[in-house]
Amino acid sequence: MPAALEQLIRTHAPVPVADAVRLRVFLCCVPDPRDRRGRRYPLVALLPAAAAGVLAGARSLVAIGEWIADAPRWALHALGFPPDPLTGSVPTPHPATVRRFLARLDGDAVDHAVGAFLHSRTDAPHPGPAQRPALRAIAVDGRTLRGSRHGDRPAAALLAAMEHSGSVLAPRQVADKSNEIPAFAPLLNPLELTGTVVTADALHPRHEHGAYLRSRSAHHLAIGKKNHPGLFETVRTLPWRDIARDHYDRTRAHHRMEIRRLKTAAFARLDYPGARQALQVVRWRREMDTGKLTIERVCLITSLPPGEATGEQLAAWIRATGTSKTCCTTCATGPSARTTPRSAPSTCPA
């Protein structure tokens, strides 16, 4: 199944035919790969019908073709298939025709169309008269496309901008990890970034990326890494012991217990474009079956001024970004250790 249509799998409470009809509005920029003489079925009927099949539960090209072939007449009418002028019946394409059509589509164009549709489908909260508009969080992350490795050809790598809720907004194919850095700005250029917070993994906290986001009226949430030694040391050596905690979270799942603590400190100036706050996240993780305790510290910076986002919001954005993979310090105890997560600060002080 095309990666562009896989985005629809995460749609909350889908209404297959109604959502597919709404999707037709966003398909005006998708080029038709077929010759003019071979266009028996219109693109604005075929592609929404495939999307309706995915929303209805189809998870393969064969299943999508079968769903279209078995769809009721009223659904085919709504999706845009023209009726036969003589018999009044609605002809449908053979499943093999659907497979060939989907395989030839421009994947980037379909990605943008589906991403715009999913973003429009999300019900944004309406602020009251005394409330400021809610910040929109966008994550930039690289992924390897599942099933794209064939023989000697390596798997395709994608750099994608996506809502923290899971909707992909703009994907871009890159050759490898090293090419993610120059692809950062071109990936975000088509998007409206005003009033957003852009998070990224440890590969992207670069000065040019921070300056680009501030020039687009977007906020950043970046990790302080050792490739910026001055910035890293400034944030790491703050008197975190004396700073009040902004957020505390305790979870227990998957045979482990985790405690996350977030602290923030305001700055007049940091050596990073637009940086206003430094953050520290400390995570204690205890494996329930072995008793092993792991402590991780993450140093971050953000252009958000104090009070712009709550500690709970910041913690959710950081956790969704997966920044705990890059930490300042890691301390672990073996199975025989008796220290509990609550007493961990005395063993490994923040």
Side-chain angles (χ1 to χ4, degrees):
M1 185 169 62
L5 294 180
E6 285 188 359
Q7 302 178 48
L8 298 170
I9 297 175
R10 297 185 292 269
T11 302
H12 175 68
V15 184
V17 176
D19 284 338
V21 171
R22 287 187 58 200
L23 177 61
R24 296 176 60 184
V25 180
F26 299 89
L27 299 177
C28 57
C29 295
V30 177
D32 196 328
R34 302 168 295 174
D35 294 332
R36 290 186 179 275
R37 292 176 296 177
R39 299 180 184 180
R40 182 180 178 185
Y41 305 99
L43 180 142
V44 290
L46 275 174
L47 195 47
V54 175
L55 291 167
R59 295 296 179 262
S60 67
L61 292 176
V62 174
I64 293 173
E66 292 176 349
W67 186 92
I68 296 174
D70 296 336
R73 182 178 174 180
W74 67 266
L76 297 174
H77 270 298
L79 292 169
F81 285 98
D84 188 290
L86 297 178
T87 64
S89 62
V90 183
T92 57
H94 191 274
T97 302
V98 176
R99 292 198 300 272
R100 289 194 299 268
F101 168 74
L102 294 177
R104 296 174 60 190
L105 282 172
D106 183 343
D108 289 339
V110 180
D111 272 325
H112 285 299
V114 175
F117 160 72
L118 291 175
H119 176 59
S120 71
R121 194 181 183 278
T122 303
D123 294 325
H126 298 284
Q131 295 177 339
R132 63 180 60 176
L135 291 168
R136 174 182 168 212
I138 297 177
V140 175
D141 198 6
R143 286 290 183 268
T144 300
L145 191 61
R146 181 180 58 189
S148 60
R149 181 182 289 107
H150 297 287
D152 296 334
R153 188 176 68 183
L158 295 178
L159 182 66
M162 61 192 306
E163 301 264 11
H164 276 216
S165 59
S167 301
V168 178
L169 302 176
R172 187 181 183 89
Q173 187 167 351
V174 296
D176 51 35
K177 278 286 186 180
S178 64
N179 284 342
E180 286 188 15
I181 294 173
F184 183 86
L187 174 76
L188 297 175
N189 279 336
L191 303 180
E192 175 56 54
L193 297 182
T194 303
T196 63
V197 179
V198 178
T199 65
D201 60 18
L203 190 63
H204 296 283
R206 305 176 64 86
H207 279 66
E208 58 267 30
H209 293 176
Y212 168 78
L213 292 174
R214 296 306 296 141
S215 69
R216 297 284 310 277
S217 301
H219 290 289
H220 56 68
L221 182 58
I223 309 169
K225 301 197 306 178
K226 291 184 178 179
N227 58 352
H228 301 298
L231 176 64
F232 177 80
E233 285 300 315
T234 299
V235 176
R236 187 185 67 85
T237 56
L238 287 174
W240 291 110
R241 283 180 180 270
D242 304 324
I243 297 175
R245 186 174 62 199
D246 285 277
H247 182 70
Y248 175 89
D249 180 52
R250 182 187 183 103
T251 59
R252 182 170 181 170
H254 305 293
H255 303 286
R256 63 173 178 261
M257 180 175 64
E258 291 186 359
I259 294 177
R260 291 179 175 83
R261 186 208 64 195
L262 169 69
K263 293 184 176 183
T264 62
F267 268 83
R269 184 184 180 279
L270 277 172
D271 185 22
Y272 196 84
R276 297 287 302 277
Q277 292 187 90
L279 301 86
Q280 186 199 59
V281 175
V282 181
R283 184 181 72 174
W284 294 274
R285 173 188 287 180
R286 178 178 289 279
E287 303 292 339
M288 303 303 294
D289 50 353
T290 64
K292 180 180 179 180
L293 173 66
T294 304
I295 302 175
E296 295 178 337
R297 292 176 176 81
V298 188
C299 299
L300 306 101
I301 50 176
T302 181
S303 59
L304 289 166
E308 187 75 12
T310 65
E312 184 178 0
Q313 285 178 311
L314 290 169
W317 294 336
I318 293 169
R319 187 170 185 179
T321 310
T323 52
S324 59
K325 297 176 182 178
T326 304
C327 53
C328 305
T329 340
T330 302
C331 306
T333 61
S336 59
R338 301 301 180 192
T339 307
T340 64
R342 288 189 178 275
S343 61
S346 62
T347 307
C348 300

